[in-house]
Amino acid sequence: MKNDKNPMQCQTVVALDAIVGKWKPVILHILLSGKPYRFNELRRNIPDITQRMLTMHLRELEEQDIIHREVYAQVPPKVEYSITEYGKTLGPILEAMHEWGANHLAHMASKETETDNSRSS
Amino acid sequence: MKNDKNPMQCQTVVALDAIVGKWKPVILHILLSGKPYRFNELRRNIPDITQRMLTMHLRELEEQDIIHREVYAQVPPKVEYSITEYGKTLGPILEAMHEWGANHLAHMASKETETDNSRSS
DNA sequence: CAGGATCCCTGTGGATACTG
DNA sequence: CAGTATCCACAGGGATCCTG
């Protein structure tokens, strides 16, 4: 894992570790719908991601038991990724962050306007 | 800011942006107590942080209106950092993450034990 | 005391090509 | 289809020295 010595006190980073990564929030947001997705299906839903990063993030999430990887022995290969029951516990947190983020954008925008007003007066 | 083109959809990253950074969670955790802290006081409470990183993180948090920087015109200089009312809205999220993180450690530990059992059997 | 200025190292992530 | 394997760029962060 990434955190060698978390000197007690801050398990927050443990949670962060699970959702930090350039595309992890998007992946989680998609899989939290409950529907399983195939590899390339995910790629298509995340336009700018590279297969490398998709693979890496999926592996990390799997290792954390947040998503499940189901391999179907057939040709052509078929692999499906889905959120685990345990992974669903991240849902509320992600939602809260999404909400806070949206509100934050508004908050910062209004502060911008304040400064604009004081400039224009 | 860090995210140039967040293609709508994911304000989660906006929230993440506010709390991601090697020491931000700790800083926030400390300041969320409500008590104002001086610069070196914070340093002392975060053993391994460098003044450079402390400064940078504080500046970013200030820019986001999450903490307040109060400069007292006196010599020797005195600067106090405190959580803003707005910044307090991050509290519940950090708390939730902390709780999830603690639980996650337990969860992963128990999975480890499972494998240990299957190995030892 | 509370920083600013520099230099440098590492990890995260991007681009591209190849495979079972 | 679902990946691996390489190479490479850059930003986040560390160490050190200096200052109003």
Side-chain angles (χ1 to χ4, degrees):
Chain A
M1 227 137 289
K2 286 162 191 169
N3 310 295
D4 28 349
K5 280 187 170 183
N6 33 350
M8 180 47 204
Q9 101 184 137
C10 221
Q11 289 93 341
T12 309
V13 301
V14 176
L16 275 173
D17 194 60
I19 59 182
V20 163
K22 189 160 184 184
W23 308 96
K24 277 192 197 172
V26 201
I27 296 177
L28 288 173
H29 175 250
I30 293 179
L31 291 184
L32 275 169
S33 70
K35 176 176 177 290
Y37 279 78
R38 300 183 56 171
F39 189 83
N40 281 316
E41 201 175 354
L42 281 171
R43 280 193 70 180
R44 264 176 268 116
N45 278 274
I46 314 174
D48 290 341
I49 199 174
T50 63
Q51 74 286 58
R52 175 186 141 85
M53 287 316 295
L54 183 52
T55 309
M56 293 187 66
H57 281 158
L58 288 174
R59 290 289 185 279
E60 286 184 39
L61 291 172
E62 185 194 1
E63 204 169 324
Q64 309 247 63
D65 195 34
I66 293 170
I67 66 175
H68 173 67
R69 180 167 182 263
E70 183 77 27
V71 183
Y72 296 88
Q74 62 180 52
V75 40
K78 175 178 174 181
V79 179
E80 276 190 345
Y81 295 93
S82 54
I83 194 86
T84 61
E85 280 308 311
Y86 177 66
K88 289 182 185 172
T89 60
L90 268 177
I93 295 184
L94 268 306
E95 254 181 74
M97 293 186 52
H98 179 88
E99 194 177 346
W100 191 92
N103 182 38
H104 188 54
L105 287 177
H107 182 82
M108 295 313 278
S110 75
K111 295 219 66 175
E112 266 301 317
T113 316
E114 275 180 39
T115 0
D116 284 352
N117 290 343
S118 56
R119 256 203 301 273
S120 62
S121 62
Chain B
M1 227 136 293
K2 287 163 193 167
N3 309 294
D4 29 350
K5 279 186 168 183
N6 33 351
M8 176 54 201
Q9 99 185 138
C10 221
Q11 288 92 341
T12 309
V13 300
V14 176
L16 274 173
D17 195 59
I19 59 182
V20 164
K22 188 160 183 185
W23 308 96
K24 277 192 196 170
V26 202
I27 296 176
L28 288 173
H29 176 249
I30 293 178
L31 292 183
L32 274 169
S33 69
K35 176 174 176 292
Y37 279 76
R38 299 182 56 171
F39 189 83
N40 280 316
E41 200 175 352
L42 281 170
R43 280 193 70 179
R44 262 175 272 118
N45 278 275
I46 313 174
D48 290 340
I49 199 173
T50 63
Q51 76 287 56
R52 175 186 142 86
M53 286 317 294
L54 183 52
T55 311
M56 292 188 68
H57 281 159
L58 289 174
R59 290 288 186 279
E60 286 184 39
L61 292 171
E62 184 194 2
E63 206 170 322
Q64 309 248 64
D65 196 32
I66 292 171
I67 66 175
H68 174 67
R69 180 168 184 263
E70 184 79 25
V71 183
Y72 296 89
Q74 64 181 51
V75 41
K78 174 178 177 183
V79 179
E80 276 190 347
Y81 294 91
S82 55
I83 195 86
T84 61
E85 280 307 312
Y86 177 66
K88 289 182 184 172
T89 60
L90 268 178
I93 294 183
L94 269 305
E95 254 180 75
M97 292 184 52
H98 179 87
E99 194 177 345
W100 192 91
N103 182 38
H104 189 53
L105 287 177
H107 182 83
M108 295 311 281
S110 76
K111 293 219 67 175
E112 265 304 316
T113 316
E114 275 181 37
T115 0
D116 283 354
N117 290 343
S118 58
R119 255 202 302 271
S120 65
S121 63

